[in-house]
């Protein structure tokens, strides 16, 4: 018997199959990893997926210069050592990088503001791809524009590589309160809401009817402790991405496990207290309010 | 006694199973299950789709796995695992040493169709249902070996995608992602003699 079986209709993906994988990742932690060893530590700690990249956002910030898609070789190395889904980042609008990531069969592509944007007007047309995409958003309009382009998962942008959760909180609160206002609007107000949010009308209708984004809503950008993860989950995140927060800390394996447990028990302060004990040094971090406008990544994306 | 349903809510698409049960059987009592204590109140347990390494780890760490095994051995619990749930129920997993409950005498192959770009959906015949279900296969496993007590209930292109051993059911695909709740209603009809 061959090791894989040919499925039918290869290359054709329904919305349900793409969003379906995002559903499977709910209630978990997705961790940034730069080496196969880190990927193993993440999987052993209970990560639901890993984001394979050459530099974590904190290092991209420190190094400056142009940040691009990672070398496919290192992504393939990471894919070869774990059984959980592997994600990778392409630059905003860089559909050729996305095509390459699809060709090496990553499980999810993050069209990410952490990398230097390749197009200052257009994002990738994600409908034409077989692989699902996740995109960042700071508000409801941005989230729904990305869904309109075919994103199967949204994550709040936060401010990556800082270890400061303040922007992730701002973006999640903004999205959740805008969802509530769309949900409570009258039917005949949806047209003007679509205009105000600069979002497709059918997406605004979906939010009005369901009180949720059309796709799972995850959180990223500045989460560094179990308490940060619990905060984002209580504010409405369905899973958290932890980038620099784990492997820039003193004891990554331990912190990774603790953050996984904190998502599971995000409403149980007694267990969170237990989970948060003796984790060693967190990442040092950068206070977001000290960043100059051109040092902020969250502003990238249109 | 009417069934009382629990959905393992450690990680994965558990909310989709909750929605499915609410829509097909609105009066059924329904609980999210995370710890051994949560399990006491249910007769029927669903283990959803998700990541088997993550959920296995946490089931083991917090004792839920052992509690499930005990209840099934006492014949007081019916269990249905979809995708990841079937992997956790299996006796063995090909080429991967990971925590599992071992309640279904099968060997599974994880990601048998390949990575996410090979996920697909197609009609799948299930024994006992008068028409096929739409099988949504997401990085799906298949059953490659099974013991004498196991009844094969469904195949897709010759590969086993549904199997049952007494009150333990495993499916490779995700009925909870469709509006078709026949599988859920059928599972609720599993008799639990000792409850």
């Amino acid at each position: 018997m061959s090791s894989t079986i040919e499925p039918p209709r290869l290359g054709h993906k329904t919305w349900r199959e793409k969003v379906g994988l995002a559903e499977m990742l709910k209630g978990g932690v997705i961790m940034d990893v730069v080496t196969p060893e880190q990927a193993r530590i993440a999987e052993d700690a209970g990560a639901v997926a890993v984001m394979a990249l050459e530099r974590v956002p904190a290092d991209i910030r420190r190094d400056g210069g142009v940040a691009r898609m990672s070398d496919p070789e290192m992504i393939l190395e990471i894919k070869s050592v774990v059984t959980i889904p592997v994600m990778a980042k392409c630059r905003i609008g860089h559909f050729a990088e996305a095509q390459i990531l699809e060709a090496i069969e990553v499980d999810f592509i993050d069209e990410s503001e952490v990398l230097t944007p390749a197009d200052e007007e257009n994002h990738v047309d994600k409908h034409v791809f077989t692989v699902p995409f996740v995109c960042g958003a700071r508000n409801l309009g941005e989230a729904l524009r990305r869904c309109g382009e075919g994103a199967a998962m949204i994550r709040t942008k936060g401010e990556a590589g800082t270890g400061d959760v303040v922007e992730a909180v701002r973006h999640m609160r903004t999205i959740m309160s805008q969802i509530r206002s769309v949900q409570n609007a009258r039917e005949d107000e949806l047209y003007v809401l679509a205009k105000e949010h600069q979002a497709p009308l059918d997406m605004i209708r979906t939010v009005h009817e369901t009180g949720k984004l059309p796709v799972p809503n995850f959180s990223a950008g500045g989460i560094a402790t179990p308490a940060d993860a619990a905060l984002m989950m209580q504010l409405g995140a369905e899973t958290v991405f932890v980038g620099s927060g784990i492997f820039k800390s003193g004891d990554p394996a331990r912190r990774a496990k603790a953050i996984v447990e904190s998502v599971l028990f995000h409403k149980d302060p007694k267990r969170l207290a237990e989970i948060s004990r003796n984790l060693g040094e967190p990442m040092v971090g950068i206070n977001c309010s000290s960043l100059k406008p051109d040092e902020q990544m969250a502003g990238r994306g249109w | 006694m009417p069934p009382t349903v629990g959905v393992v809510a450690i990680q994965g698409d558990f909310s989709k199973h909750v929605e499915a049960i609410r829509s097909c059987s609105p009066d059924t009592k329904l609980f999210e299950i995370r710890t051994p204590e949560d399990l006491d109140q249910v007769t029927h347990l669903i283990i959803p789709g998700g990541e088997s390494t993550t959920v296995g780890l946490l089931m083991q760490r917090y004792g839920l796995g052992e509690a499930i095994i005990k209840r099934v051995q006492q014949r007081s619990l019916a269990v249905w695992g979809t995708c990841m749930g079937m992997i956790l129920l299996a006796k063995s997993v090909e080429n991967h040493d990971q925590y599992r409950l071992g309640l279904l005498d099968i060997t599974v192959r994880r990601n048998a169709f390949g990575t996410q770009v090979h996920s697909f959906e197609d009609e799948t015949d299930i024994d006992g249902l008068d028409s096929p279900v739409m099988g949504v296969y997401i990085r799906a496993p298949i059953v490659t070996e099974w013991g004498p007590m196991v009844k094969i209930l469904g195949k897709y292109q010759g590969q086993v995608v549904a199997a049952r051993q007494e009150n333990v059911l495993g499916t490779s695909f995700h009925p909870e992602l469709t509006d078709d709740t026949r599988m859920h209603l059928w599972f609720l009809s599993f008799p639990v003699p000792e409850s």
Side-chain angles (χ1 to χ4, degrees):
Chain A
M1 194 185 291
S2 68
S3 63
T4 57
I5 304 133
E6 246 346 86
R9 295 179 299 126
L10 189 61
H12 170 82
K13 282 295 160 288
T14 65
W15 184 241
R16 189 154 63 188
E17 290 150 35
K18 288 181 174 180
V19 177
L21 181 57
E23 294 284 348
M24 300 311 146
L25 300 175
K26 279 185 178 175
V29 182
I30 299 166
M31 302 182 191
D32 279 3
V33 296
V34 300
T35 62
E37 292 69 41
Q38 289 186 355
R40 275 203 206 92
I41 291 171
E43 184 172 48
D44 289 346
V48 291
V50 290
M51 178 75 72
L53 68 179
E54 276 167 353
R55 291 177 292 170
V56 293
D59 290 336
I60 292 175
R61 231 172 236 297
R62 190 198 57 208
D63 297 349
V66 177
R68 310 178 177 92
M69 174 185 80
S70 298
D71 182 343
E73 180 61 26
M74 73 81 62
I75 298 170
L76 287 166
E77 270 175 30
I78 286 173
K79 259 170 64 92
S80 71
V81 302
V82 294
T83 59
I84 54 180
V86 174
M87 304 184 168
K89 290 182 193 291
C90 75
R91 284 179 263 177
I92 289 173
H94 206 315
F95 55 83
E97 283 187 350
Q99 289 162 353
I100 290 168
L101 293 174
E102 178 169 79
I104 61 169
E105 299 193 0
V106 301
D107 294 295
F108 238 103
I109 295 176
D110 184 3
E111 186 184 15
S112 177
E113 70 283 359
V114 167
L115 305 184
T116 311
D119 188 325
E120 295 192 333
E121 287 178 11
N122 302 288
H123 281 249
V124 172
D125 176 4
K126 294 164 270 288
H127 290 293
V128 302
F129 283 82
T130 299
V131 61
F133 278 71
V134 51
C135 289
R138 288 161 298 172
N139 54 52
L140 182 63
E142 196 173 6
L144 296 182
R145 287 195 294 281
R146 298 295 87 81
C147 294
E149 297 154 2
M153 179 201 295
I154 293 297
R155 55 171 176 75
T156 56
K157 285 181 174 171
E159 195 54 48
T162 61
D164 186 347
V165 80
V166 66
E167 292 301 311
V169 168
R170 188 190 323 279
H171 300 157
M172 186 58 74
R173 280 200 186 269
T174 302
I175 289 175
M176 299 311 278
S177 85
Q178 289 174 333
I179 286 175
R180 286 190 292 272
S181 79
V182 169
Q183 191 182 13
N184 293 330
R186 279 165 53 102
E187 289 277 322
D188 62 2
E189 293 166 345
L190 298 182
Y191 306 96
V192 77
L193 282 171
K195 185 187 78 175
E196 281 173 9
H197 289 290
Q198 297 181 288
L201 179 60
D202 60 329
M203 296 284 165
I204 289 282
R205 272 195 212 288
T206 304
V207 172
H208 176 66
E209 281 159 18
T210 63
K212 291 190 292 199
L213 289 183
V215 301
N217 183 15
F218 292 6
S219 178
I223 295 158
T225 68
D228 289 347
L231 175 68
M232 296 316 300
M233 292 297 288
Q234 289 188 47
L235 285 173
E238 294 175 300
T239 275
V240 297
F241 284 80
V242 184
S244 320
I246 289 172
F247 290 100
K248 286 284 166 190
S249 73
D251 187 346
R254 193 161 184 163
R255 183 164 294 265
K257 269 191 189 137
I259 294 180
V260 167
E261 292 180 13
S262 71
V263 168
L264 173 61
F265 293 115
H266 64 270
K267 286 186 218 152
D268 186 339
K270 279 202 178 128
R271 282 194 196 261
L272 289 172
E274 217 30 63
I275 289 164
S276 303
R277 290 170 69 171
N278 287 319
L279 295 182
E281 285 297 307
M283 73 179 280
V284 175
I286 305 167
N287 190 326
C288 281
S289 58
S290 71
L291 292 177
K292 298 190 199 94
D294 66 344
E295 292 173 334
Q296 290 169 10
M297 292 171 171
R300 301 164 169 178
W302 0 98
Chain B
M1 202 181 90
T4 309
V5 178
V7 181
V8 173
I10 291 177
Q11 187 276 320
D13 75 332
F14 52 88
S15 62
K16 292 285 162 187
H17 278 292
V18 169
E19 284 169 25
I21 297 285
R22 286 215 175 106
S23 83
C24 71
S25 184
D27 297 331
T28 295
K29 276 198 193 155
L30 195 56
F31 300 93
E32 291 188 354
I33 308 296
R34 296 183 176 84
T35 62
E37 301 74 56
D38 295 340
L39 195 65
D40 292 344
Q41 48 209 350
V42 307
T43 60
H44 290 64
L45 182 72
I46 298 175
I47 309 178
E51 283 309 316
S52 61
T53 44
T54 307
V55 175
L57 206 76
L58 293 167
M59 266 190 179
Q60 196 177 12
R61 205 176 294 165
Y62 290 97
L64 179 61
E66 243 169 82
I68 295 171
I69 293 169
K70 204 169 136 207
R71 288 282 309 276
V72 172
Q73 284 169 348
Q74 290 169 348
R75 305 171 64 81
S76 66
L77 187 70
V79 190
W80 174 22
T82 56
C83 193
M84 166 195 87
M86 182 170 84
I87 296 169
L88 285 172
L89 288 171
K91 200 165 225 175
S92 58
V93 179
E94 275 185 18
N95 305 327
H96 202 251
D97 181 28
Q98 63 181 92
Y99 179 77
R100 55 210 179 271
L101 302 169
L103 295 168
L104 194 49
D105 186 11
I106 57 173
T107 299
V108 296
R109 180 182 302 159
R110 289 180 62 187
N111 303 334
F113 298 94
T115 59
Q116 170 64 12
V117 296
H118 301 283
S119 293
F120 64 99
E121 54 186 75
D122 208 352
E123 290 191 338
T124 305
D125 283 311
I126 298 296
D127 275 6
L129 296 181
D130 49 7
S131 61
V133 294
M134 183 53 79
V136 182
Y137 296 84
I138 296 174
R139 286 169 46 93
I142 56 166
V143 178
T144 54
E145 288 170 50
W146 54 93
M149 298 290 285
V150 174
K151 200 172 163 224
I152 299 307
L153 296 171
K155 288 188 180 180
Y156 181 75
Q157 293 199 341
Q159 305 295 334
V160 174
V161 295
R164 178 179 176 177
Q165 179 177 353
E166 296 181 337
N167 274 339
V168 180
L169 171 68
T171 57
S172 302
F173 52 91
H174 295 280
E176 74 280 12
L177 295 182
T178 71
D179 294 330
D180 183 348
T181 54
R182 287 177 297 163
M183 294 284 294
H184 286 86
L185 284 170
W186 180 52
F187 174 63
L188 293 187
S189 77
F190 281 22
V192 180
E194 303 300 325
S195 62

